[in-house]
Amino acid sequence: MTSIADELRSILDVIEQPAWAVDADHRVSYANPQAAAFTGHARPSDLLGTDGRPAGHPGARSRNHTAPSRRCGTLTHADGSLLHVEWSLVPLARPDGEAALYLFRASTGASGATRESSLEDKLPRALAAQVCADRCRTAAGSLQHGVQERLASLLLGLNLAREQLGGGSVPSSGARLLDDAARDAEEALAQVREVTAALYPSVLRLRGLTAALTALAEQWPVPVAVVGNLRRRLPDAVEMHAYFLVRDALSRAVHGAGAGRVRVVAELGPDLVVTVADDGTAPGYGPEPALLAAVADRVAVLEGTLTVRHTPEEGTTLRAVIPVPH
């Protein structure tokens, strides 16, 4: 059976971030050259078998990789000094046992990292998720009702000016300038609409998660089925993060794993359970580590749990269990 290290080798060796995979005991089973260089080791193999958890890991005494995380901490350099890092953990549940992928980047330094970690620990994640949702909703509203309306007015004015100055009274160079300005305004308006949708889709704001996921499914070049039992609106933060969680999971499946079909299930019981199943390749190729980290971040901010399972016959299934306030 293919090991997690074999599956991730092709991508870990080419991404710029220091990264390593760990087994169920948190021991490093594979590290990329960037991780070796970052920690001052001559070879990636020098890291094999070491404890892959950064200092300050919340699960220092646990073998559970289920909960995704993104935090600040420290790694130990080969010379004994401490490296302040920001790290993301992506849990990978496999038939041969639990495993996980760590991605690192240098932090701002001891004092900055300590302040950021301290503030993050003091702020409830549910509140942080709501603040993020409110900011995205406000930014999207400002773009839609401010910038977008101004651009639409500008485009209308340019078109009227072009019509009124027609008939040969305007030099050809002036007419071309008006045409170019109108075209630029049209492109800017289209880009504002794209950014607005990326921040907080209007269908999500107006009609809820099920309608938004159904609309999202139509944007992919492969069949995407959306099913579930959602009959009521959920809190803004849950809807927004769940929506973007599914979007990132679809991107991983289609662009990273080459899936030919995807099934999205959103079931509401005591918790919201979102499942994205595809028939693509195993996790670890193309842009997948970054996309899996993005999915893990979405689940973590909602204080949920994420599992990722792959079987050669069936494909990959991402399952997120998200608490819903009642």
Side-chain angles (χ1 to χ4, degrees):
M1 181 177 293
T2 303
S3 68
I4 183 63
D6 292 334
E7 290 180 358
L8 295 175
R9 187 185 307 275
S10 63
I11 183 62
L12 291 185
D13 282 1
V14 297
I15 64 175
E16 296 181 359
Q17 284 179 269
W20 55 57
V22 298
D23 59 21
D25 295 314
H26 300 282
R27 299 294 174 182
V28 176
S29 58
Y30 185 78
N32 66 358
Q34 291 81 354
F38 184 67
T39 55
H41 291 89
R43 298 172 300 276
S45 58
D46 294 339
L47 292 164
L48 298 183
T50 61
D51 192 329
R53 292 168 293 185
H57 191 294
R61 294 181 176 85
S62 172
R63 292 184 54 178
N64 181 24
H65 292 309
T66 301
S69 302
R70 184 176 184 179
R71 291 175 178 266
C72 295
T74 59
L75 297 175
T76 302
H77 193 273
D79 63 10
S81 61
L82 295 180
L83 301 169
H84 295 273
V85 296
E86 295 176 7
W87 54 268
S88 295
L89 179 148
V90 180
L92 300 173
R94 296 167 44 80
D96 55 348
E98 298 288 336
L101 170 66
Y102 282 92
L103 299 169
F104 302 99
R105 67 174 179 176
S107 185
T108 55
S111 59
T114 301
R115 284 196 300 270
E116 180 176 346
S117 179
S118 176
L119 288 173
E120 178 184 288
D121 291 341
K122 291 179 181 179
L123 183 65
R125 285 193 171 185
L127 176 59
Q130 185 61 54
V131 168
C132 179
D134 290 344
R135 286 177 177 173
C136 288
R137 178 190 283 267
T138 301
S142 297
L143 285 172
Q144 182 174 11
H145 301 297
V147 179
Q148 184 171 277
E149 291 178 0
R150 288 175 181 268
L151 282 173
S153 177
L154 172 62
L155 182 59
L156 177 61
L158 288 171
N159 286 331
L160 288 174
R162 187 167 50 184
E163 292 177 3
Q164 293 180 10
L165 296 176
S169 60
V170 178
S172 59
S173 60
R176 285 196 299 270
L177 287 174
L178 278 175
D179 290 341
D180 291 343
R183 184 170 56 252
D184 289 344
E186 289 176 352
E187 293 177 355
L189 184 58
Q191 290 175 353
V192 167
R193 287 170 177 162
E194 290 178 2
V195 173
T196 301
L199 281 172
Y200 208 114
S202 59
V203 64
L204 178 64
R205 183 180 73 253
L206 297 174
R207 299 174 56 196
L209 183 59
T210 299
L213 292 180
T214 301
L216 178 65
E218 299 174 356
Q219 301 174 17
W220 301 90
V222 302
V224 177
V226 177
V227 298
N229 67 348
L230 295 182
R231 298 291 184 269
R232 65 177 177 87
R233 295 297 301 266
L234 303 176
D236 290 347
V238 174
E239 287 191 339
M240 188 197 79
H241 287 287
Y243 173 86
F244 286 110
L245 178 160
V246 172
R247 188 196 64 178
D248 291 335
L250 286 172
S251 184
R252 184 214 69 81
V254 176
H255 300 310
R261 64 179 183 279
V262 187
R263 178 179 174 85
V264 179
V265 181
E267 297 281 352
L268 182 61
D271 299 314
L272 173 65
V273 180
V274 178
T275 304
V276 181
D278 67 80
D279 61 352
T281 59
Y285 297 91
E288 290 194 65
L291 291 170
L292 282 173
V295 172
D297 285 345
R298 294 285 181 185
V299 178
V301 78
L302 293 172
E303 299 182 319
T305 59
L306 174 71
T307 56
V308 183
R309 297 186 182 278
H310 177 82
T311 57
E313 299 80 10
E314 299 179 4
T316 302
T317 299
L318 278 68
R319 183 175 185 270
V321 180
I322 299 167
V324 177
H326 295 285

